[in-house]
Amino acid sequence: MLANVDNSLPRPALPGDRPRRRQSAALLGFLGVSWCVSLLGSLPIRMNGDGWYAVADKAPWTPPGWIFGSVWLVLYAAMAVAVWLVWRQQRVARRPALQAYGALLLLNLAWPLMFFGMYPMLGTAALWLALLVIGGHAVTATLAVLNFGPISRTAGLLMLPYVSWLVFSASLNLYAAVNN
């Protein structure tokens, strides 16, 4: 018998066994989709951020405007990596986790449209409706953590800062709704 020859049966495919090229393309795709949603969601902010929001009464704990873009860029990247880690698992039911990701993308588009885009038409009512959207967004992000975690612990952990930022943002939204 030769000592360096592996005579064992081929191992079954592991959950993350997808061709490297396909995995790289998928990761780039998730990053691209997430950042496209970020870009689309920023349009109402760019269109109205210098208008009513510039003179709005903001919470004393509101960070400078440039922090929002920086934080969201990182959060969208973390979300994309998290969903990619979930997507690459082949032997686990992923549908609820992937649906949560899709819902997060839609809610990411809905909130700035409601908060920044609808305020000129609806006034304070838009801020209260935006608070409902961000509340649903935080619940959906929490469900994503709960769905991602059992599939990939790293994916679940990557989503925790996202949930935290949504809760922080909801506090800013609530202050704006009460005071404007």
Side-chain angles (χ1 to χ4, degrees):
M1 234 197 214
L2 299 171
N4 291 333
V5 175
D6 184 5
N7 291 326
S8 63
L9 296 172
R11 68 173 176 77
L14 295 176
D17 287 352
R18 290 187 188 237
R20 189 176 298 274
R21 182 174 279 172
R22 184 170 180 208
Q23 286 194 32
S24 298
L27 177 57
L28 290 174
F30 285 121
L31 284 166
V33 166
S34 292
W35 286 335
C36 282
V37 167
S38 173
L39 179 65
L40 288 172
S42 73
L43 293 178
I45 299 167
R46 292 176 191 199
M47 292 169 51
N48 295 304
D50 291 335
W52 74 267
Y53 187 72
V55 295
D57 189 13
K58 297 175 200 65
W61 59 92
T62 302
W66 65 269
I67 288 187
F68 289 97
S70 302
V71 168
W72 276 111
L73 184 67
V74 171
L75 292 175
Y76 275 109
M79 180 173 55
V81 171
V83 74
W84 172 73
L85 289 170
V86 167
W87 167 83
R88 61 191 294 245
Q89 300 301 315
Q90 297 179 39
R91 295 183 177 206
V92 181
R94 304 165 297 169
R95 188 188 257 355
L98 295 174
Q99 288 173 334
Y101 169 71
L104 289 175
L105 294 177
L106 292 174
L107 289 165
N108 271 308
L109 289 172
W111 183 85
L113 182 62
M114 183 61 63
F115 188 89
F116 289 96
M118 298 302 288
Y119 183 85
M121 292 177 275
L122 300 177
T124 304
L127 303 180
W128 287 105
L129 291 171
L131 186 61
L132 290 174
V133 171
I134 204 167
H137 197 168
V139 168
T140 303
T142 302
L143 291 173
V145 169
L146 295 174
N147 280 298
F148 284 25
I151 298 169
S152 166
R153 184 177 186 170
T154 302
L157 292 172
L158 280 170
M159 294 298 292
L160 290 176
Y162 185 88
V163 174
S164 299
W165 186 256
L166 287 172
V167 171
F168 173 72
S169 297
S171 76
L172 299 175
N173 190 151
L174 177 60
Y175 187 94
V178 169
N179 293 289
N180 288 289

